[in-house]
Amino acid sequence: MLTIRTPSHPFKDQRPGTSGLRKKVAVFQQPGYLENFVQALFDVLPDAAGQTLVLGGDGRFYNRVATQIILRMAAAKGYARVLVGQGGILSTPAVSAVIRHHGASGGIVLSASHNPGGPEGDFGIKYNIANGGPAPEKITEAMFERSKTVSEIHSIDSPDIALDALGTIYLGRMEVTVIDPVAIYLDLMQKLFDFNGMRKLFASGFRLRFDAMHAVGGPYAKAVLEGALGAPPGTVVNAIPLEDFGGLHPDPNPVNAEDLVHHLFAVDAPDMGAASDGDADRNMVVGRRFVVSPSDSLAVLLAHAHRVPGYRGGISGVARSMPTSQAVDKVAKAMGIPCYETPTGWKFFGNLMDAGLVSLCGEESYGTGSNHIREKDGLWAVLFWLNLIAVTGESVEALVRAMWKEHGRCVYSRHDYEGISLSSADALMRDLRASLHSLPGKSLAGCSIDFADDFSYTDPVDGSVSERQGVRIVLKDGSRAVFRLSGTGTDGATLRLYLERFEPDISRHDLPAEEALAPLAALAEAAANVRLQTGMDCPSVTT
Ligand code: G1P
Ligand code: ZN
């Protein structure tokens, strides 16, 4: 055992919330910084004797160094076994799947999700518990407190372990098993989806372009799509995970995955396009000359879930984050199943799933998932779509349009105002909150407001209350403008404005979103003085 004295590194300006700690690589490279996080974690966890830890990351810069440090510290903590992905690689959904499959006591994910990577980019770390989901706040808060007083790092004195060959090695008395990063995940997908049907789909000439954005989704997409499903080689592009994601921003939306959208709008476009993010938990789906909004995607998956083997037994309920469009609510209502509205962030879904209340869930931010694991899952969502196309014979566009026709269309857009000062962001939200009581019944920019509030959520399982989760200004037909500040940005503050308009009239389903949403944008401006308060004429990103 090696004990290193170290200054403590409380995570000052960023507590390690349930999405973990994300910082510039240079911050993590400070002596003792990563170690401090891991020691704080190990100190608040119970004794590890006899237990298994899962470890892997999205392959970004510093992944390998961090993996070795954590392995040595895990040996000092006394774990019986660590399952580490080959090369230190495991996608976030795969970590969740491996924890559940092996009954591990938890897992460490090395990722800053969709944030850029490389020596100048971001690195991140988070802990997942035995259900496969992110550690709840009581653990992350205890870690934060502990991080302020950690003064000793417990490690063992040992050379680096070879991570590139599968097999078992001993580190002190701890067994380290280097596992195939894909095998358990592939197995799980085979239990959920109709692989024969999808194999026939590809054999019949169906063309998919999957852009892995040089992130960790590459090896998974290759093994599942080109391997198990026989899609032609080259179906998966940007498939090799690179430490800096090839300089790309691995955040799949029509802005960052512009190249994919371009291919899907070309004359010889494939039938379907898809992309996943840095750690492969987000997904984007594109039809031929047709971009699918994540909120619509969730509604379509629910409407057809009974056609997919893993969900044939029925859907107990669905959940969406508050800013996500209400398309899925309409489908759920028609099906007679409950639909839960939670605050932004995946952690709220975990409780509902563990209690069996929800089988499918999703967010407008390109995250969709189900109770097969406790994280969102990018490739899973793409397979769900492929399975639906295989059984219905319909195109991506036809599936979405049929949902609009039956339930009406929730036209949707998110406007991000990035890099604004914390003080102007706070002022905007404060002024808006102060005016809420005067808005109901009022007409602003030609819209008559039905109600306005600051979203508060009471967890139906544990009764915990989360307040101030975003301001909603809602019209009679459910159309609305929602305001909240991002909780994940690393530079200044980001205001997110979500606009949603309900359009039952099928002859108006093709109006460009910008046009359809113009009245709501005017309402938002009138209610919150966005231009003046942010000092910006228009959003920096619109999706
Ligand atoms: C963003 C998304 C949110 C998602 C989170 C983590 O958070 O908006 O839906 O759960 O990333 O992937 P935000 O920056 O808005 O707080
Ligand atoms: Zn991610």
Side-chain angles (χ1 to χ4, degrees):
M1 167 87 80
L2 188 69
T3 300
I4 309 160
R5 300 222 164 271
T6 174
S8 66
H9 286 277
F11 312 114
K12 289 182 208 106
D13 48 332
Q14 190 194 331
R15 290 181 178 214
T18 49
S19 61
L21 183 67
R22 290 180 199 170
K23 291 281 183 193
K24 291 273 172 241
V25 165
V27 173
F28 271 102
Q29 285 172 323
Q30 296 173 83
Y33 189 88
L34 171 75
E35 289 87 341
N36 182 260
F37 179 95
V38 178
Q39 193 64 55
L41 167 67
F42 286 168
D43 286 353
V44 303
L45 292 179
D47 186 19
Q51 299 194 339
T52 299
L53 179 75
V54 177
L55 175 62
D58 64 13
R60 67 178 62 223
F61 187 80
Y62 206 58
N63 194 119
R64 280 181 176 263
V65 178
T67 303
Q68 300 288 350
I69 292 173
I70 296 166
L71 283 172
R72 284 192 276 265
M73 290 181 67
K77 165 80 176 163
Y79 279 99
R81 185 166 68 141
V82 173
L83 302 170
V84 58
Q86 189 176 21
I89 293 270
L90 279 175
S91 72
T92 294
V95 170
S96 192
V98 174
I99 292 173
R100 293 167 70 84
H101 179 86
H102 282 284
S105 57
I108 292 179
V109 187
L110 302 173
S111 171
S113 187
H114 49 282
N115 293 12
E120 311 299 325
D122 289 350
F123 186 74
I125 178 167
K126 74 169 182 171
Y127 182 68
N128 281 22
I129 56 174
N131 75 350
E137 249 152 40
K138 63 174 192 304
I139 294 186
T140 57
E141 279 297 310
M143 283 172 67
F144 175 65
E145 284 311 315
R146 178 66 195 151
S147 75
K148 295 177 189 170
T149 52
V150 166
S151 59
E152 287 180 351
I153 304 299
H154 302 296
S155 185
I156 64 158
D157 194 8
S158 144
D160 280 1
I161 267 201
L163 292 175
D164 292 310
L166 300 179
T168 295
I169 323 156
Y170 278 84
L171 193 55
R173 287 164 51 204
M174 183 179 82
E175 186 186 307
V176 178
T177 304
V178 179
I179 59 167
D180 177 337
V182 182
I184 289 170
Y185 181 83
L186 171 60
D187 205 47
L188 182 56
M189 293 303 115
Q190 279 170 326
K191 290 191 180 112
L192 295 174
F193 298 111
D194 174 9
F195 270 54
N196 275 334
M198 293 189 282
R199 243 178 251 126
K200 282 189 199 135
L201 179 70
F202 282 116
S204 74
F206 182 86
R207 283 162 62 220
L208 169 72
R209 183 182 176 90
F210 187 106
D211 191 338
M213 304 185 93
H214 284 308
V216 79
Y220 294 85
K222 274 240 167 224
V224 176
L225 300 168
E226 295 182 15
L229 293 176
T235 295
V236 185
V237 298
N238 297 325
I240 298 172
L242 299 176
E243 288 198 327
D244 65 349
F245 305 122
L248 298 174
H249 186 174
D251 185 7
N253 64 38
V255 177
N256 295 319
E258 193 192 356
D259 179 67
L260 177 68
V261 175
H262 178 80
H263 275 93
L264 269 292
F265 278 73
V267 187
D268 60 343
D271 299 285
M272 177 176 159
S276 56
D277 75 328
D279 59 336
D281 60 351
R282 293 187 175 194
N283 78 90
M284 174 170 123
V285 168
V286 192
R288 188 183 274 161
R289 287 183 276 283
F290 190 85
V291 176
V292 183
S293 94
S295 302
D296 281 342
S297 175
L298 178 61
V300 170
L301 301 193
L302 173 62
H304 296 277
H306 59 280
R307 302 179 193 276
V308 172
Y311 305 91
R312 216 160 262 160
I315 299 288
S316 55
V318 283
R320 63 161 171 86
S321 65
M322 182 272 280
T324 301
S325 101
Q326 297 159 93
V328 73
D329 304 39
K330 301 190 188 304
V331 177
K333 191 167 175 217
M335 291 170 67
I337 61 167
C339 177
Y340 297 86
E341 184 176 40
T342 64
T344 294
W346 206 257
K347 65 179 177 185
F348 298 96
F349 299 141
N351 266 2
L352 300 173
M353 289 183 171
D354 284 348
L357 298 176
V358 153
S359 327
L360 290 180
C361 57
E363 293 193 278
E364 50 67 39
S365 52
Y366 298 85
T368 328
S370 91
N371 55 358
H372 66 292
I373 54 171
R374 292 295 180 272
E375 291 277 4
K376 51 197 169 214
D377 191 343
L379 186 52
W380 166 90
V382 176
L383 292 172
F384 207 129
W385 271 94
L386 287 170
N387 197 147
L388 295 188
I389 293 166
V391 284
T392 61
E394 301 283 358
S395 69
V396 170
E397 176 172 353
L399 286 165
V400 176
R401 285 192 184 279
M403 188 272 290
W404 289 348
K405 187 176 170 202
E406 195 171 341
H407 304 281
R409 178 178 180 191
C410 295
V411 186
Y412 189 83
S413 179
R414 181 174 108 179
H415 295 183
D416 294 333
Y417 295 80
E418 297 173 323
I420 55 178
S421 75
L422 292 169
S423 57
S424 30
D426 286 341
L428 183 147
M429 292 304 289
R430 189 190 56 228
D431 294 353
L432 187 57
R433 286 187 165 112
S435 71
L436 282 182
H437 66 280
S438 69
L439 294 178
K442 197 164 167 178
S443 179
L444 264 190
C447 300
S448 45
I449 298 169
D450 183 36
F451 79 91
D453 71 354
D454 194 351
F455 181 61
S456 163
Y457 176 71
T458 305
D459 190 301
V461 182
D462 63 20
S464 62
V465 178
S466 308
E467 286 175 321
R468 296 162 69 87
Q469 296 296 320
V471 167
R472 317 185 272 190
I473 304 178
V474 187
L475 313 186
K476 275 238 154 51
D477 65 356
S479 297
R480 56 187 190 153
V482 172
F483 299 80
R484 60 177 282 282
L485 299 182
S486 158
T488 60
T490 41
D491 292 316
T494 295
L495 169 72
R496 302 205 195 285
L497 167 61
Y498 310 82
L499 303 174
E500 173 179 357
R501 168 157 172 201
F502 181 56
E503 182 52 78
D505 179 355
I506 189 171
S507 73
R508 295 170 64 84
H509 284 174
D510 280 328
L511 270 191
E514 209 184 317
E515 200 178 321
L517 294 169
L520 285 153
L523 167 70
E525 180 60 35
N529 292 313
V530 181
R531 273 189 224 133
L532 188 75
Q533 297 262 36
T534 61
M536 293 167 74
D537 275 342
C538 56
S540 34
V541 181
T542 301
T543 48

